[in-house]
C-alpha cells in the first residue's frame, strides 16, 4: 500500500464564537491510501484545543503511512487497527505508530474503511453491520452572537428544514445566553433546542441556569461546567431539570466508563475518541446505562464528517454539521443542507471531491514533509 497527504485550508462561512475562542478557519490534512488502483481517504483537521497544528498532524500521518506500508492489503491493516482499539494496544505491531493522536488514528481508520469498502463494493455502514443507510436529523450550530443575528439565522434554518438547532452559550454575562435562546425560540418555535456552553458556566451558577433554560424548552445541555472534574459534572447531572451531556469531560473509553449511568449523554466525536471502532466501543459500553449517545464532530469537510454519518442510526442526538459551517466544502456526499444527513449507499464512505484533485503541489508521499501553515482559531467542540 502507498500513502500520500494533502493539506487544504477550510474557511468558515462566518466566524464561530464559543465560550473560549472564535474559529474562522482551519487546515484539513487528507490521508490517501492507494492499493491496486483504488483509493481510500481520511481527514484530520487542525485543532488548538487538542494541540494539533498542521505540521503535527502531517508528522503523525506520515509516520502512520510508513507503518501501513508494511501491510499486504488494507483488510489486514483494518483488522489490526480494530484489534488495537478493542485491546487498547499501541505497540510496534499495530496499524498506527505508537503514541498517535486519536484524531490521526480516526483518519487512518477512515481511509482504510473507505478503501476496504470500495474493494468489497459495500458502503461503510454495511461493513459495520447496518444494512440500511443511516439517515438522521442533524443539529445546526449557532455561535455566540447577538440575539437579533441568532434569531434571523434560526428562522432561515427552520425554513430550510432544520428541526434541531444547537445554540452556543458561555457568554461572560449569562443574560446574553438567555436572550439568545429566547430569540432563537421565538424565531423557530417548533425546533428542538440544544445548548452548549463548552464548559463556560461556573459551578455555582450552573444549577440555576439549567432551570432557566429548562423553562425555555431547551432539550439538553452539553458540558455546562469546565472540564477536569467529572465527579462534579455527574453531581450536577443528578439534580439537573434537563439532560446533561458530557463532552470535554468524555474523551475516551475510560471517561465513558466513569460517567456511564451518571450523566444523561456522552458526546462521541471520532476525532477525540480515536475513530469508528473506538466510538462503537463507547456506544456498547453505555448501552442500557441510561446514558444516551450523541454523535458530534469538529468543523471539517464532508470527508471528515462522513464516517460518523455511517453511525448516525445509533445516536439519540446527532450533531454532524461541521461541513455545513464552511464557506466551501471540498467534498460532497452526505447532504445536510436540508437538516438531514444521509450515509451514501455507494461503496466506501460514499463521498467524492467537488473538483478533481490537483495533487501536484500539496500531495506528498509518506515519509516526506508537508510544509505547515497555521490558521488562527480554536477547535470547535
Amino acid at each position: 500500500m502507498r500513502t500520500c497527504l494533502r493539506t487544504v485550508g477550510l474557511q468558515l462561512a462566518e466566524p464561530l464564537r464559543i465560550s473560549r475562542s472564535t474559529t474562522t478557519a482551519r487546515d484539513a490534512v487528507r490521508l490517501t491510501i492507494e492499493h491496486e488502483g483504488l483509493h481510500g481517504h481520511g481527514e484530520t483537521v487542525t485543532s488548538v484545543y487538542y494541540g494539533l497544528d498542521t505540521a503535527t498532524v502531517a508528522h503523525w500521518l506520515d509516520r502512520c503511512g510508513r507503518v501501513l506500508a508494511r501491510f499486504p492489503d488494507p483488510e489486514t491493516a483494518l483488522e489490526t487497527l480494530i484489534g488495537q482499539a478493542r485491546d487498547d494496544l499501541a505497540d510496534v505491531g499495530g496499524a498506527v505508530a505508537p503514541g498517535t493522536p486519536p484524531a490521526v488514528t480516526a483518519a487512518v481508520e477512515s481511509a482504510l474503511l473507505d478503501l476496504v469498502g470500495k474493494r468489497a463494493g459495500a458502503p461503510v455502514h454495511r461493513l459495520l453491520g447496518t444494512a440500511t443507510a443511516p439517515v438522521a436529523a442533524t443539529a445546526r450550530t449557532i455561535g455566540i452572537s447577538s440575539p437579533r443575528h441568532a434569531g434571523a439565522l434560526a428562522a432561515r434554518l427552520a425554513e430550510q428544514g432544520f428541526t434541531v438547532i444547537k445554540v452556543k452559550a458561555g457568554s461572560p454575562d449569562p443574560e446574553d445566553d438567555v436572550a439568545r435562546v429566547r430569540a432563537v425560540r421565538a424565531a423557530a418555535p417548533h425546533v428542538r433546542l440544544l445548548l452548549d456552553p463548552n464548559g463556560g458556566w461556573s459551578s455555582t451558577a450552573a444549577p440555576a441556569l439549567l432551570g432557566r433554560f429548562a423553562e425555555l424548552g431547551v432539550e439538553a445541555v452539553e458540558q455546562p461546567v469546565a472540564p477536569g472534574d467529572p465527579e462534579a459534572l455527574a453531581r450536577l447531572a443528578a439534580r439537573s431539570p434537563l439532560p446533561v451531556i458530557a463532552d470535554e469531560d468524555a474523551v475516551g473509553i475510560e471517561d465513558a466508563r466513569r460517567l456511564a449511568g451518571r450523566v444523561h449523554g456522552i458526546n462521541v466525536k471520532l476525532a477525540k475518541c480515536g475513530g469508528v471502532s473506538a466510538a462503537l466501543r463507547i456506544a456498547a459500553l453505555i448501552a442500557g446505562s441510561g446514558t444516551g449517545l450523541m454523535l458530534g464532530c469538529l468543523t471539517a469537510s464532508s470527508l471528515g464528517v462522513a464516517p460518523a454519518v455511517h453511525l448516525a442510526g445509533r445516536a439519540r442526538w446527532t450533531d454532524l454539521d461541521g461541513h455545513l459551517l464552511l464557506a466551501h466544502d471540498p467534498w460532497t456526499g452526505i447532504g445536510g443542507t436540508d437538516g438531514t444527513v444521509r450515509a451514501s449507499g455507494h461503496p466506501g464512505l460514499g463521498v467524492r471531491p467537488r473538483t478533481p484533485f490537483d495533487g501536484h503541489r500539496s500531495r506528498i508521499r509518506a515519509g516526506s514533509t508537508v510544509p505547515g501553515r497555521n490558521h488562527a482559531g480554536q477547535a470547535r467542540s
Side-chain angles (χ1 to χ4, degrees):
M1 292 188 294
R2 296 186 302 171
T3 62
C4 63
L5 309 182
R6 183 188 179 199
T7 301
V8 176
L10 301 177
Q11 191 77 28
L12 273 68
E14 64 177 55
L16 178 65
R17 180 186 167 198
I18 65 174
S19 61
R20 59 175 177 254
S21 60
T22 300
T23 303
T24 58
R26 67 189 342 142
D27 275 354
V29 185
R30 184 183 74 230
L31 169 70
T32 297
I33 305 174
E34 186 273 332
H35 186 68
E36 296 182 346
L38 292 176
H39 299 80
H41 308 287
E43 177 182 276
T44 301
V45 293
T46 54
S47 166
V48 174
Y49 186 76
Y50 292 113
L52 296 173
D53 60 19
T54 310
T56 300
V57 171
H59 164 77
W60 282 106
L61 284 172
D62 180 71
R63 289 191 63 185
C64 291
R66 294 175 183 270
V67 172
L68 290 171
R70 304 171 187 166
F71 287 87
D73 53 61
E75 291 80 9
T76 304
L78 180 60
E79 183 179 357
T80 302
L81 185 60
I82 292 172
Q84 282 182 275
R86 182 182 62 244
D87 301 325
D88 295 319
L89 299 175
D91 56 24
V92 177
V96 293
T100 299
V104 174
T105 300
V108 172
E109 184 183 40
S110 171
L112 288 171
L113 283 167
D114 191 29
L115 183 52
V116 169
K118 288 172 180 175
R119 281 165 57 85
V124 164
H125 60 265
R126 197 171 300 159
L127 298 180
L128 302 175
T130 302
T132 304
V135 177
T138 182
R140 172 63 160 79
T141 301
I142 295 178
I144 294 176
S145 59
S146 69
R148 180 177 180 179
H149 177 81
L153 179 53
R156 291 200 301 271
L157 293 172
E159 185 177 353
Q160 290 168 13
F162 284 87
T163 58
V164 188
I165 290 177
K166 183 166 86 170
V167 182
K168 291 291 187 178
S171 299
D173 183 357
E175 294 303 320
D176 291 341
D177 294 338
V178 173
R180 188 178 316 106
V181 170
R182 281 179 174 156
V184 170
R185 173 53 77 204
H190 303 299
V191 302
R192 298 162 55 198
L193 286 184
L194 305 176
L195 195 66
D196 186 8
N198 287 106
W201 294 347
S202 70
S203 57
T204 54
L209 287 171
L210 287 169
R212 293 184 70 182
F213 286 109
E215 292 173 357
L216 290 174
V218 170
E219 179 177 318
V221 176
E222 289 182 60
Q223 197 68 43
V225 294
D229 189 351
E231 294 300 316
L233 184 67
R235 289 193 298 271
L236 180 64
R239 62 181 188 273
S240 173
L242 49 75
V244 170
I245 301 169
D247 184 0
E248 287 88 342
D249 265 328
V251 176
I253 189 73
E254 292 307 317
D255 297 324
R257 184 172 287 114
R258 184 181 301 114
L259 290 169
R262 306 180 66 202
V263 294
H264 304 92
I266 287 178
N267 187 342
V268 173
K269 297 173 183 171
L270 304 190
K272 70 175 179 177
C273 74
V276 168
S277 299
L280 289 173
R281 287 187 67 205
I282 293 173
L285 173 68
I286 66 176
S289 70
T291 296
L293 175 67
M294 180 178 194
L295 278 174
C297 64
L298 303 183
T299 307
S301 75
S302 287
L303 171 62
V305 177
V309 175
H310 284 271
L311 300 175
R314 307 166 191 258
R316 176 177 174 183
W317 299 281
T318 302
D319 180 25
L320 299 177
D321 68 336
H323 60 304
L324 302 177
L325 304 180
L326 301 179
H328 172 71
D329 182 359
W331 293 78
T332 185
I334 57 174
T337 56
D338 61 351
T340 301
V341 289
R342 302 167 178 85
S344 171
H346 296 298
L349 292 172
V351 295
R352 63 186 183 279
R354 291 186 184 274
T355 56
F357 296 147
D358 54 21
H360 295 294
R361 181 179 61 180
S362 52
R363 177 180 287 187
I364 65 167
R365 291 181 182 275
S368 55
T369 306
V370 178
R373 67 184 189 282
N374 294 322
H375 289 284
Q378 173 74 51
R380 175 185 168 227
S381 291

